Amino acid sequence: MNSTSPGHQAHHHFDDAERATVYRNILARRDVRGQFLPDPVGDDVLARILTAAHFAPSVGFMQPWSFVVIRDKAVKQQVHGAFTEANAEAAQMFEGKQREVYSGLRLQGILEAPVNLCITCDRDRAGPVVIGRTHIKAMDLYSTVCAVQNLWLAARAEGLGVGWVSIYRQARIREILGLPQRIIPVAYLCVGHVSHFLDQPELQTAGWRPRLPLEDLVHFDGWGGAAPEGETLREALKRAQHRAAQGIPPI
């Protein structure tokens, strides 16, 4: 059967420029907090990034996600209140210098972003028995996170910033948005045009944590397995990560 037969992608290879663009998008993605502009996000653009999210992989093709689009200022104010309450609690969980650094971080753009999105997971959407979820029940949640990443990358390609807010009690978000009990709020995102994107992740720049060396996170044939004699992957990882740290596509 040739490559143009029904059921096959006719052009399944990407050329070098296309590959570089994919990698550049991944490397340029940032968690945006304080750079949102008030400019509205057009419906066509919002539709495109939501479509990208909807085309994410999902275990058993269950597509467990739904998207709550929030533009109403009153609703945003309630969510911001839920964040503020949880953020004050979170600050007390750190000590010394970490608490000081934490208190100076900007961790959300709820009120500034023109669009907020809550991406949810319906754990019952495909019924009680789902292909691929028979033994790992959390696969529906993992699938929903894939939708979040698809949306994030599509938004970056559109020049939009996205910030993931995770400091709140889920029960409060469920109450504010009227989510049924079975619906899990997986990601609360702030979306909008931005004044700029940071060169490096904000927490890295703030000294909260460095980026870990990728070559230290790769094991061979089992946890803690050393590289076999003659293995060249570790050196290739170092070269690729060095280029990526400079924002250069590793191709």
Side-chain angles (χ1 to χ4, degrees):
M1 186 176 291
N2 63 48
S3 62
T4 58
S5 299
H8 290 69
Q9 296 182 11
H11 305 288
H12 60 277
H13 292 290
F14 292 88
D15 63 32
D16 287 351
E18 291 170 328
R19 289 165 55 214
T21 298
V22 171
Y23 284 110
R24 177 171 177 260
N25 189 18
I26 291 169
L27 298 176
R29 185 209 58 78
R30 292 290 179 268
D31 193 353
V32 175
R33 285 84 173 264
Q35 302 103 264
F36 286 110
L37 300 174
D39 307 9
V41 176
D43 285 346
D44 286 347
V45 178
L46 187 56
R48 288 197 292 270
I49 67 173
L50 287 171
T51 298
H54 187 48
F55 273 68
S58 64
V59 171
F61 203 47
M62 68 181 300
Q63 305 160 74
W65 44 71
S66 292
F67 308 94
V68 182
V69 179
I70 302 146
R71 295 192 179 104
D72 187 271
K73 291 182 179 180
V75 178
K76 290 181 185 178
Q77 286 283 2
Q78 292 184 69
V79 174
H80 185 267
F83 163 82
T84 301
E85 179 182 341
N87 193 49
E89 296 171 351
Q92 300 306 309
M93 299 177 188
F94 300 100
E95 297 180 354
K97 181 65 175 178
Q98 270 200 324
R99 183 181 298 180
E100 181 182 339
V101 174
Y102 181 91
S103 298
L105 294 172
R106 177 67 183 272
L107 298 176
Q108 52 78 35
I110 297 166
L111 300 180
E112 294 79 9
V115 177
N116 289 189
L117 287 173
C118 185
I119 301 184
T120 67
C121 178
D122 182 349
R123 311 205 71 183
D124 298 330
R125 178 159 295 166
V129 181
V130 180
I131 294 174
R133 199 185 65 164
T134 53
H135 291 75
I136 304 177
K137 296 302 182 184
M139 293 306 297
D140 51 353
L141 297 171
Y142 301 159
S143 297
T144 303
V145 173
C146 288
V148 176
Q149 181 76 338
N150 266 25
L151 183 141
W152 212 331
L153 292 174
R156 183 62 185 87
E158 297 281 359
L160 297 177
V162 175
W164 188 332
V165 182
S166 58
I167 304 171
Y168 53 76
R169 295 187 181 277
Q170 285 187 316
R172 283 287 293 126
I173 295 300
R174 183 178 280 114
E175 176 187 1
I176 292 167
L177 300 181
L179 304 180
Q181 192 61 35
R182 75 177 191 282
I183 301 299
I184 308 298
V186 172
Y188 193 94
L189 307 177
C190 306
V191 181
H193 297 282
V194 297
S195 58
H196 62 280
F197 289 95
L198 299 177
D199 289 335
Q200 300 292 333
E202 189 170 355
L203 292 181
Q204 182 178 351
T205 302
W208 189 263
R209 280 182 67 85
R211 188 178 297 281
L212 302 175
L214 176 57
E215 62 273 13
D216 293 347
L217 307 177
V218 176
H219 308 261
F220 292 84
D221 301 315
W223 186 264
E229 185 176 352
E231 175 61 64
T232 60
L233 177 58
R234 286 194 186 278
E235 292 305 314
L237 290 171
K238 290 179 182 179
R239 291 193 299 272
Q241 186 171 228
H242 178 71
R243 290 175 61 85
Q246 302 174 68
I248 302 172
I251 64 171

